[in-house]
Amino acid sequence: QRLLYGAEDVGFFKEITTAPGEASTDANKHNFKEFQGNLGMAECQYIIKHELDNLRAKDEAHVPGYPKMKLYPGKSVIRRMQSKGILVQVFPLHEKEELKRLSFSWFKKIKLSFQPLDDIRHYFGEGMALYFGFLEYFTLALIPMALIGIPYYLFDWEDYDKFTVFAGFNLVWCTVILELWKRLSASLAYGWGTLSRKKAFEEPRPGFHGVLGVNPVTGRAEPLYSNAKRQLRIYLVSVPFVLLCLYLSLYVMMIYFDMEGWALMIHDEEPTFWTGLLLFIPSIIYAVVIEIMNLIYRYAAEFLTGWENHRLESTFQNHLVLKVLVFNFFNCFASLFYIAFVMQDMVLLRQSLATLLITSQILNQIMEAFLPYWLQRRRNKKAHKRMIKTMEDKELPLSEQVKLEADMSTYLGTFDDYLELFLLFGYVSLFSCVYPLAAVLVVLNNVTEVYSDAFKMCKVFKRPFSEPAANIGVWQLAFEAMSVIAVVTNCALIGMSPQVKSYFPESETQLIMWVVGFEHFLLASKFILTFVIPDVPKHIQIKLSRLEFESLEALKKRHQKEPVYKRLTYRV
Amino acid sequence: QRLLYGAEDVGFFKEITTAPGEASTDANKHNFKEFQGNLGMAECQYIIKHELDNLRAKDEAHVPGYPKMKLYPGKSVIRRMQSKGILVQVFPLHEKEELKRLSFSWFKKIKLSFQPLDDIRHYFGEGMALYFGFLEYFTLALIPMALIGIPYYLFDWEDYDKFTVFAGFNLVWCTVILELWKRLSASLAYGWGTLSRKKAFEEPRPGFHGVLGVNPVTGRAEPLYSNAKRQLRIYLVSVPFVLLCLYLSLYVMMIYFDMEGWALMIHDEEPTFWTGLLLFIPSIIYAVVIEIMNLIYRYAAEFLTGWENHRLESTFQNHLVLKVLVFNFFNCFASLFYIAFVMQDMVLLRQSLATLLITSQILNQIMEAFLPYWLQRRRNKKAHKRMIKTMEDKELPLSEQVKLEADMSTYLGTFDDYLELFLLFGYVSLFSCVYPLAAVLVVLNNVTEVYSDAFKMCKVFKRPFSEPAANIGVWQLAFEAMSVIAVVTNCALIGMSPQVKSYFPESETQLIMWVVGFEHFLLASKFILTFVIPDVPKHIQIKLSRLEFESLEALKKRHQKEPVYKRLTYRV
């Protein structure tokens, strides 16, 4: 019964017939038992999380038993307890049986079939399912590009005409796949009932602090923090910090070019096989340094954004994504831009692109899956030993499972996974006409990525809280921005190619005018395409408007039963 | 009581306490008496229109008394009667007293104050009030540009450096004013209660016809028309027709250039005052021809779009706007583009721009206000004579008023008015660095436009049906597209100026690269600005989320009173 109330509270949009369920909570750890019925596991979990967070103080001035933990009316008790360290962790437990079933259909058998997105959504929630759906879609969408790219590599086509054709295909393709993804994601979200779900009222995020005041929206007492102060922090500290980091990244890039020049000098003096290999060393070192800088910056950005003291989790996330995207884009691609447009050295560009891409892929796979797995195994072994000491039962008791899973690493959300895809998309699209093989490498990487991500979700991390989602949010925008930048870079690369230049032997001006005109044409068509392709497929649109129509009809019917004055009190 | 029901049906979003009212309808003409209470006149009128349109056939197979007029269940009776010519006109009557009051505060006294937007909205509805609000805002927003433009004219500054400054200011200004208008319009719409109004379920438009089938959304019998057929009509007839018209417009342009050359030749042979005047003749003739072509095309586009047989009024309007915008843009600005970028003759460009702008302004004022007013007066005189014959009363009886107003011209909506503003915006922004005085001319034109539009709404036309609106719709997009094109043209013009060229004496390539870079920078900043400036002002946002929060709370309270199973049947 309470689950149904909760489902209404969070705005799940579904016809529910029966949903018996039970929620067992205990003082310090909360574990959610399996629910039968129409509500998915992730949905139940989300509802319970919501209900827990909504356990609010009424008249209590402090947490019972902890006189120092002050409360004000309407403050979430759980959050205060978390922020004060009484509650160390709140997390949902893995469901062994379900997990086994999911793992089996997901990654245990290597097969050529789609991922079980509905099962993933059932277990992990819509946010996660959309990530895996996007990962799969992105991989499939790159396959045509990869197939066209392979002959370029095999036959060593250095013909720039052919590259131009490839770049043209690439640009159209990028636009089309991003638009089609919107439609696919709308279909998925419709099937999961999150497409037309209204966003629930957002609470202040856990770390938010300020002077107690009255919220102008709810009229409740709540900490407030002046917007002017936040703006000051952003513009006087965060922005300069980001600029400093960008400068640093530029500085490292210059060191890389020095090393590159030095390696080339040695190779030119006495070219042997080993000096040939040496040529790759600077790129590899640079790639490693880039990854390390990204990692450090990631933590700094999170700290800074937290310090900016945003009230809502969504604005926090937006500011974080913006900070991280700008830096990572710059850090990863600045050297390539420099080589392409300042040095205009296409051979070096291709070599550098390949090295950066491959190195970062390898590093990412190691950092993401193998390292946590290895740490996990070491931990597990210890726990296992302890467990064997205490008991011989085959079935793990709940308390032991809780202890075991509490030690697992916490999954920090899909942020890093999307970021990785975003950078890969940049490697594929920005300089596609120089290195067509990039698509092949990314496809190969993504195939393993699906498995390693699935593995890490099931085996390495604590089960994350599920989050309903209707789309991939700000990442759609990020990918679209990247595809716009890709139009500009590819047009510039095409304009710089000797073949194209030879069409305009007498006047460079005319060449540039043509390229610029072509680029404007491409950009305009991109925007028109975005408008022309509807974001929601026709059949979903019909279903949505049918829902709306039916609810309007239902409302009308109800109104005929009630007197007007009563109805008016219901509306605001 | 019925009005309140209706207000709920169409989704007015307001706290209503009491609203006594009466609706008198008769068989053939419907006239709406004044209503006291909280509902505005325009709102009452809209509700009654909605109720009339919703008088639907149940089991009748034909209109009572007219066996040939077939009906199907759910068909609006009024619409069928209109389409078959039984009902000749349905229109609301003017309200003499209200109108007198409105006219007085609006345009009778010449004063320096804002328009009475709330009164206009009360009498004509939100759509009209937003148009006048936009017209006023646009005029005010152009004043800074006009002020900066005047010294350029007075001191004959031919200095391109100064023009560059002016163009730069212009570009930023265009972006900013369009963004600020969104905020202002959101404020207005919030005050009028239309901002968060849900769109009512759209009926097929009156002219729509097709084979009777089942609507997949409502499940009702309704004429259906296959989308494939419509697409065929669009791509095989409409698109070629538009292209043909564009070609025709190009042909006329070429004739204009021939005339121009001929006039110049005569002037060069024997330069007198009269030949100097002759130089302007081709431009004036061309401007007149352009206006005539626009007018003819306007009717053709309306016919074609009607023939495409769109189901909804909104899609009809979108296709019509697209067709008309493309042609009008091309027709008005093609010659200017040709002069600017192919002939590169800045003196001719300025002269041509000025003549086109001034001629089209004069023509428009004549066509829009004076001609209908003159026709109206002639008609009124006749009616007046007839009236004096029949009666000596001072107070006009209702039936006479109906007869009188039925003869008045029908106002065809804000389309043409917005279109005119759109083209004026084009004249101001596209080539601003060549003719800074354009802004001054447009400001002067707009000031008289406010008065003539107000006059024609009150005196010349039948009172139009009001239409609730939350923003200026597709026109916002059109103006934004124009401002993007303006960035491109202005950058190109700046790049072509001798002063800028002299900065790069040795290499034209470098000049172009700089200009292109600058243009990309401007475009990027435009898009970032669009994202950064919130579309709805902060205080309105707070009010909106407060409304949402309160309705959520009210829902929760209601839920606590009702059992779960009952609530679930309410939701779909």
Side-chain angles (χ1 to χ4, degrees), chain B residues 344-567:
Chain B
Q344 306 209 352
D345 181 346
M346 292 304 135
V347 179
L348 183 59
L349 178 62
R350 191 174 313 164
Q351 181 208 313
S352 192
L353 181 63
T355 323
L356 280 180
L357 178 58
I358 295 171
T359 316
S360 85
Q361 281 182 353
I362 293 173
L363 280 180
N364 260 314
Q365 293 281 2
I366 292 174
M367 294 285 294
E368 242 185 70
F370 296 112
L371 196 69
Y373 178 63
W374 181 72
L375 288 173
Q376 180 59 27
R377 274 191 73 148
R378 242 184 35 181
R379 247 187 262 132
N380 266 16
K381 261 187 196 157
K382 276 189 208 160
H384 204 65
K385 271 181 199 157
R386 208 177 52 204
M387 225 172 58
I388 287 174
K389 270 181 203 159
T390 50
M391 53 171 306
E392 254 84 52
D393 265 14
K394 265 225 147 173
E395 185 68 29
L396 217 59
L398 202 60
S399 60
E400 276 304 312
Q401 194 195 347
V402 168
K403 267 185 206 152
L404 214 69
E405 291 194 9
D407 280 345
M408 287 168 101
S409 319
T410 308
Y411 181 64
L412 295 167
T414 46
F415 187 100
D416 292 295
D417 296 317
Y418 277 118
L419 185 62
E420 197 191 332
L421 286 187
F422 173 76
L423 293 176
L424 289 179
F425 183 61
Y427 284 119
V428 175
S429 60
L430 285 181
F431 305 97
S432 59
C433 53
V434 175
Y435 190 53
L437 204 65
V440 181
L441 290 176
V442 171
V443 167
L444 289 179
N445 174 74
N446 278 8
V447 171
T448 60
E449 181 92 14
V450 169
Y451 286 98
S452 71
D453 277 357
F455 177 77
K456 89 180 176 202
M457 287 315 305
C458 292
K459 297 282 174 183
V460 177
F461 288 116
K462 278 201 252 300
R463 186 175 176 187
F465 279 109
S466 76
E467 199 63 52
N471 49 50
I472 60 172
V474 66
W475 292 104
Q476 181 80 39
L477 208 67
F479 275 79
E480 276 166 15
M482 180 70 95
S483 79
V484 170
I485 298 173
V487 170
V488 180
T489 53
N490 278 299
C491 282
L493 283 179
I494 291 172
M496 276 157 46
S497 71
Q499 262 88 350
V500 174
K501 269 181 184 162
S502 67
Y503 285 128
F504 302 91
E506 73 288 347
S507 131
E508 211 175 11
T509 314
Q510 219 175 353
L511 161 72
I512 296 176
M513 296 299 268
W514 268 104
V515 171
V516 171
F518 182 63
E519 184 224 351
H520 278 72
F521 168 75
L522 278 178
L523 285 177
S525 352
K526 253 182 94 72
F527 282 103
I528 292 171
L529 255 185
T530 315
F531 268 103
V532 167
I533 301 178
D535 287 358
V536 179
K538 187 92 186 169
H539 66 280
I540 304 281
Q541 260 171 4
I542 287 180
K543 281 179 191 161
L544 281 179
S545 37
R546 178 183 227 148
L547 267 180
E548 205 181 318
F549 174 77
E550 281 169 0
S551 82
L552 270 176
E553 290 289 299
L555 206 73
K556 266 188 203 165
K557 267 186 198 153
R558 210 173 88 210
H559 282 170
Q560 285 163 10
K561 295 181 197 152
E562 295 175 15
V564 173
Y565 69 91
K566 198 172 164 197
R567 272 156 42 208

Side-chain angles (χ1 to χ4, degrees), chain B residues 217-458:
Chain B
V217 174
T218 60
R220 285 182 191 154
E222 195 185 275
L224 295 180
Y225 188 75
S226 110
N227 205 32
K229 267 194 207 165
R230 185 178 302 127
Q231 298 290 339
L232 273 182
R233 286 187 174 188
I234 292 177
Y235 289 110
L236 292 187
V237 180
S238 296
V239 172
F241 174 78
V242 173
L243 291 179
L244 188 76
C245 287
L246 294 182
Y247 176 76
L248 210 75
S249 153
L250 219 62
Y251 194 79
V252 170
M253 184 183 94
M254 284 307 161
I255 295 178
Y256 157 62
F257 283 123
D258 282 351
M259 276 164 62
E260 192 78 57
W262 175 74
L264 205 68
M265 208 177 64
I266 292 183
H267 180 68
D268 281 351
E269 268 177 14
E270 240 183 293
T272 65
F273 171 74
W274 294 107
T275 56
L277 220 62
L278 184 68
L279 282 179
F280 286 95
I281 300 292
S283 290
I284 293 175
I285 294 177
Y286 184 52
V288 174
V289 171
I290 282 180
E291 288 296 319
I292 294 171
M293 280 169 74
N294 278 350
L295 205 70
I296 297 173
Y297 179 83
R298 175 82 173 71
Y299 285 107
E302 209 158 317
F303 172 78
L304 259 183
T305 318
W307 179 72
E308 286 167 14
N309 201 11
H310 294 278
R311 189 173 159 270
L312 298 179
E313 184 64 30
S314 58
T315 39
F316 173 85
Q317 285 293 339
N318 285 345
H319 278 256
L320 181 63
V321 168
L322 187 67
K323 275 198 197 69
V324 173
L325 275 194
V326 167
F327 180 78
N328 278 29
F329 183 85
F330 194 84
N331 201 18
C332 290
F333 301 122
S335 65
L336 300 178
F337 273 89
Y338 188 83
I339 297 172
F341 301 116
V342 181
M343 296 163 74
Q344 306 209 352
D345 181 346
M346 292 304 135
V347 179
L348 183 59
L349 178 62
R350 191 174 313 164
Q351 181 208 313
S352 192
L353 181 63
T355 323
L356 280 180
L357 178 58
I358 295 171
T359 316
S360 85
Q361 281 182 353
I362 293 173
L363 280 180
N364 260 314
Q365 293 281 2
I366 292 174
M367 294 285 294
E368 242 185 70
F370 296 112
L371 196 69
Y373 178 63
W374 181 72
L375 288 173
Q376 180 59 27
R377 274 191 73 148
R378 242 184 35 181
R379 247 187 262 132
N380 266 16
K381 261 187 196 157
K382 276 189 208 160
H384 204 65
K385 271 181 199 157
R386 208 177 52 204
M387 225 172 58
I388 287 174
K389 270 181 203 159
T390 50
M391 53 171 306
E392 254 84 52
D393 265 14
K394 265 225 147 173
E395 185 68 29
L396 217 59
L398 202 60
S399 60
E400 276 304 312
Q401 194 195 347
V402 168
K403 267 185 206 152
L404 214 69
E405 291 194 9
D407 280 345
M408 287 168 101
S409 319
T410 308
Y411 181 64
L412 295 167
T414 46
F415 187 100
D416 292 295
D417 296 317
Y418 277 118
L419 185 62
E420 197 191 332
L421 286 187
F422 173 76
L423 293 176
L424 289 179
F425 183 61
Y427 284 119
V428 175
S429 60
L430 285 181
F431 305 97
S432 59
C433 53
V434 175
Y435 190 53
L437 204 65
V440 181
L441 290 176
V442 171
V443 167
L444 289 179
N445 174 74
N446 278 8
V447 171
T448 60
E449 181 92 14
V450 169
Y451 286 98
S452 71
D453 277 357
F455 177 77
K456 89 180 176 202
M457 287 315 305
C458 292

Side-chain angles (χ1 to χ4, degrees), chain B residues 93-106:
Chain B
L93 285 182
H94 272 299
E95 202 60 55
K96 293 281 167 197
E97 280 309 306
E98 284 280 330
L99 191 62
K100 206 177 269 174
R101 203 150 14 108
L102 177 64
S103 325
F104 187 74
S105 67
W106 197 2

Side-chain angles (χ1 to χ4, degrees), chain B residues 136-150:
Chain B
E136 181 171 282
Y137 173 82
F138 182 53
T139 312
L140 290 177
L142 285 180
I143 286 178
M145 254 154 83
L147 287 182
I148 300 180
I150 288 174

Side-chain angles (χ1 to χ4, degrees), chain A residues 5 8 519-520 559 571, chain B residues 8 519-520 559 567 571:
Chain A
Y5 276 104
E8 289 224 337
E519 184 225 351
H520 279 73
H559 282 171
R571 335 192 90 226
Chain B
E8 288 224 336
E519 184 224 351
H520 278 72
H559 282 170
R567 272 156 42 208
R571 335 192 91 226

Side-chain angles (χ1 to χ4, degrees), chain A residues 1 4-5 7-9 11-17 54 198-201 215-220 227 235 477 488 508-510 512-513 516 519-520 523 527 531-532 538 541-543 545-556 558-560 562-565 567-572, chain B residues 1 4-5 7-9 11-17 54 198-201 215-220 227 235 477 488 508-510 512-513 516 519-520 523 527 531-532 538 541-543 545-556 558-560 562-565 567-572:
Chain A
Q1 195 77 350
L4 287 181
Y5 276 104
E8 289 224 337
D9 265 7
F12 281 131
F13 199 60
K14 225 182 190 184
E15 247 176 313
I16 300 159
T17 46
N54 269 313
K198 267 179 84 179
K199 252 169 99 182
F201 200 77
N215 184 326
V217 174
T218 59
R220 285 180 190 156
N227 204 33
Y235 290 110
L477 208 66
V488 180
E508 210 175 10
T509 314
Q510 221 177 352
I512 296 178
M513 296 300 266
V516 170
E519 184 225 351
H520 279 73
L523 285 178
F527 282 103
F531 269 103
V532 168
K538 188 92 185 170
Q541 260 171 3
I542 288 180
K543 281 180 192 162
S545 36
R546 178 184 228 149
L547 267 179
E548 205 181 319
F549 174 77
E550 280 169 0
S551 82
L552 271 177
E553 291 289 298
L555 206 72
K556 267 189 202 163
R558 210 172 86 209
H559 282 171
Q560 286 162 9
E562 296 175 14
V564 172
Y565 70 89
R567 275 155 42 210
L568 290 173
T569 55
Y570 280 169
R571 335 192 90 226
V572 181
Chain B
Q1 194 78 350
L4 287 181
Y5 275 104
E8 288 224 336
D9 264 7
F12 281 132
F13 198 62
K14 225 180 191 187
E15 245 175 314
I16 300 159
T17 47
N54 269 312
K198 268 179 82 178
K199 252 170 100 184
F201 200 75
N215 182 326
V217 174
T218 60
R220 285 182 191 154
N227 205 32
Y235 289 110
L477 208 67
V488 180
E508 211 175 11
T509 314
Q510 219 175 353
I512 296 176
M513 296 299 268
V516 171
E519 184 224 351
H520 278 72
L523 285 177
F527 282 103
F531 268 103
V532 167
K538 187 92 186 169
Q541 260 171 4
I542 287 180
K543 281 179 191 161
S545 37
R546 178 183 227 148
L547 267 180
E548 205 181 318
F549 174 77
E550 281 169 0
S551 82
L552 270 176
E553 290 289 299
L555 206 73
K556 266 188 203 165
R558 210 173 88 210
H559 282 170
Q560 285 163 10
E562 295 175 15
V564 173
Y565 69 91
R567 272 156 42 208
L568 290 173
T569 56
Y570 282 168
R571 335 192 91 226
V572 182

Side-chain angles (χ1 to χ4, degrees), chain A residues 205-479:
Chain A
R205 61 186 297 269
F208 180 67
H209 56 85
V211 187
L212 212 63
V214 176
N215 184 326
V217 174
T218 59
R220 285 180 190 156
E222 195 184 275
L224 295 179
Y225 188 76
S226 110
N227 204 33
K229 268 193 206 166
R230 185 177 303 127
Q231 297 290 339
L232 274 183
R233 285 187 174 186
I234 291 177
Y235 290 110
L236 292 187
V237 179
S238 296
V239 172
F241 174 78
V242 173
L243 290 178
L244 189 76
C245 287
L246 293 182
Y247 176 77
L248 211 74
S249 153
L250 219 62
Y251 195 79
V252 170
M253 185 182 93
M254 284 306 161
I255 295 177
Y256 156 62
F257 284 123
D258 283 350
M259 276 164 61
E260 192 78 58
W262 174 75
L264 207 67
M265 208 178 63
I266 292 183
H267 180 68
D268 281 352
E269 269 177 14
E270 242 184 290
T272 65
F273 171 74
W274 294 106
T275 57
L277 219 63
L278 184 68
L279 283 179
F280 288 95
I281 299 293
S283 291
I284 293 174
I285 294 177
Y286 184 51
V288 174
V289 171
I290 282 180
E291 288 297 318
I292 294 172
M293 281 168 75
N294 279 350
L295 204 71
I296 297 173
Y297 179 84
R298 175 83 170 72
Y299 285 107
E302 210 159 316
F303 172 78
L304 259 184
T305 319
W307 178 73
E308 287 167 13
N309 200 11
H310 294 279
R311 192 175 156 268
L312 299 179
E313 184 65 32
S314 58
T315 40
F316 173 85
Q317 286 294 340
N318 285 346
H319 278 257
L320 181 62
V321 167
L322 188 67
K323 276 198 197 69
V324 173
L325 275 194
V326 168
F327 180 79
N328 277 29
F329 182 85
F330 195 84
N331 201 18
C332 290
F333 301 122
S335 65
L336 299 178
F337 273 89
Y338 189 82
I339 297 173
F341 301 116
V342 181
M343 296 164 74
Q344 306 210 352
D345 181 346
M346 292 305 136
V347 179
L348 181 58
L349 178 61
R350 191 174 313 163
Q351 181 208 312
S352 191
L353 181 62
T355 324
L356 279 180
L357 179 58
I358 296 171
T359 316
S360 85
Q361 281 181 354
I362 293 173
L363 279 180
N364 259 314
Q365 294 281 2
I366 292 174
M367 295 286 291
E368 244 185 68
F370 297 110
L371 195 70
Y373 179 64
W374 180 71
L375 287 173
Q376 180 60 27
R377 275 193 71 151
R378 239 184 39 180
R379 248 186 260 130
N380 267 15
K381 261 188 197 157
K382 275 190 208 160
H384 204 66
K385 271 182 200 158
R386 207 177 51 205
M387 226 173 55
I388 287 172
K389 269 183 203 159
T390 49
M391 53 171 306
E392 254 86 51
D393 265 14
K394 264 229 150 173
E395 187 67 28
L396 217 58
L398 202 60
S399 61
E400 276 305 313
Q401 195 196 345
V402 167
K403 266 185 206 153
L404 213 70
E405 292 193 9
D407 280 344
M408 288 169 101
S409 319
T410 308
Y411 181 64
L412 295 167
T414 46
F415 187 101
D416 292 295
D417 296 316
Y418 278 119
L419 185 63
E420 196 193 332
L421 286 187
F422 173 77
L423 294 176
L424 289 180
F425 183 61
Y427 284 119
V428 174
S429 59
L430 285 181
F431 305 97
S432 58
C433 52
V434 175
Y435 189 51
L437 205 65
V440 181
L441 289 176
V442 171
V443 166
L444 288 178
N445 174 74
N446 278 8
V447 171
T448 60
E449 180 92 13
V450 169
Y451 286 98
S452 72
D453 277 356
F455 176 77
K456 89 179 175 199
M457 287 315 304
C458 293
K459 297 283 174 183
V460 177
F461 288 116
K462 277 201 246 310
R463 185 173 177 189
F465 280 109
S466 76
E467 198 64 52
N471 49 50
I472 59 172
V474 67
W475 292 105
Q476 180 81 38
L477 208 66
F479 276 79

